[in-house]
Amino acid sequence: MNYLVVVAHPDDEVLGAGATIHKLIRNGNKVAVATMANHAAARANISDTLTADQAEAMRIIGVEKTYTADFPNIKMNTVPHLELVQFIEKCIEDFQAEVLITHHPSDTNIDHVMTAEAVQAACRLFQRKDGIAPLRKLLFMEVPSSTEWSIDSSSNRFTANYFVEVGKDGIDKKIEALSAYKGVMRDYPHPRSRQALEGLAAYRGSQAGCNYAEAFECVFRRD
């Protein structure tokens, strides 16, 4: 099956689904990553070598196909919605994506929100254009240090209802890939520390009856 992971920034794909991506590829699926903003103009302590860092992270988890846009970092709300949607639609069409994974729409990061909204619009492409593979699944992911900061009590926050067992080796691979991004990993108790990432995976695993898991919110599924 073809999985397209659409993220706002380099490193989001590993933070939200790195172990799952590695497992999907290992099990014979195809995974591509589409990144909306390929720089870090507004992000402190993040490397200026993001493109090279992402390439190394993708090598570690096994992703061979990537798409990159150059929308403004932490300013995606200033871009016409149609432009965001059309970029994602081109990725869907080129990759013949059947499953989409992206940010949760009530995330605290504005670029994550805009990406999630654009993905939701683009996921209907198969209904509007011939030759597009019908969508089989749409998953929202959680990005540590961002998704949990959705503190607006009036919004529907991330609700884990879909779990992927990834094992300790999957979490180790996720942390190895994340470490390829210079300046992203932090010391505990930061959510992007090794201990916190392992702890979150253990917690999500305990919810699902396994040792380690990554959690998603499944909002569309066709079997």
Side-chain angles (χ1 to χ4, degrees), residues 7 40 43 65 75 96 133 213:
V7 295
R43 303 172 73 191
K65 183 72 172 179
K75 293 182 179 180
Q96 287 292 288

Side-chain angles (χ1 to χ4, degrees), residues 131-148:
I132 304 299
L135 183 68
R136 302 183 69 90
K137 198 179 302 178
L138 172 60
L139 301 175
F140 294 144
M141 63 185 185
E142 58 178 340
V143 176
S145 77
S146 186
T147 307
E148 74 271 24

Side-chain angles (χ1 to χ4, degrees), residues 5-28:
V5 183
V6 185
V7 295
H9 314 108
D11 78 15
D12 289 336
E13 75 290 330
V14 179
L15 280 165
T20 296
I21 292 171
H22 178 65
K23 179 177 181 176
L24 287 170
I25 294 172
R26 190 177 57 195
N27 289 348

Side-chain angles (χ1 to χ4, degrees), residues 32-135:
V33 172
T35 307
M36 306 293 281
N38 193 37
H39 50 86
R43 303 172 73 191
N45 302 318
I46 301 299
S47 171
D48 292 329
T49 61
L50 272 177
T51 299
D53 292 351
Q54 187 177 43
E56 175 62 12
M58 295 303 93
R59 184 196 66 78
I60 291 169
I61 58 176
V63 173
E64 297 180 355
K65 183 72 172 179
T66 58
Y67 301 91
T68 302
D70 193 30
F71 297 114
N73 179 242
I74 315 299
K75 293 182 179 180
M76 257 192 266
N77 56 314
T78 67
V79 178
H81 176 69
L82 181 61
E83 293 182 17
L84 303 176
V85 174
Q86 288 178 335
F87 169 72
I88 297 167
E89 287 180 337
K90 289 178 181 177
C91 298
I92 291 172
E93 183 170 9
D94 181 75
F95 191 60
Q96 287 292 288
E98 300 166 275
V99 178
L100 300 178
I101 302 175
T102 193
H103 299 281
H104 193 276
S106 70
D107 200 306
T108 192
N109 185 296
I110 191 63
D111 286 354
H112 295 186
V113 174
M114 295 297 102
T115 299
E117 290 188 356
V119 168
Q120 290 174 85
C123 74
R124 301 173 299 133
L125 182 62
F126 74 94
Q127 294 180 329
R128 296 185 279 106
K129 188 171 183 178
D130 293 336
I132 304 299
L135 183 68

Side-chain angles (χ1 to χ4, degrees), residues 159-175:
T159 302
N161 62 11
Y162 186 96
F163 301 85
V164 178
E165 183 176 5
V166 295
K168 182 60 164 57
D169 60 329
I171 296 304
D172 288 342
K173 187 65 67 172
K174 172 181 182 142
I175 292 172

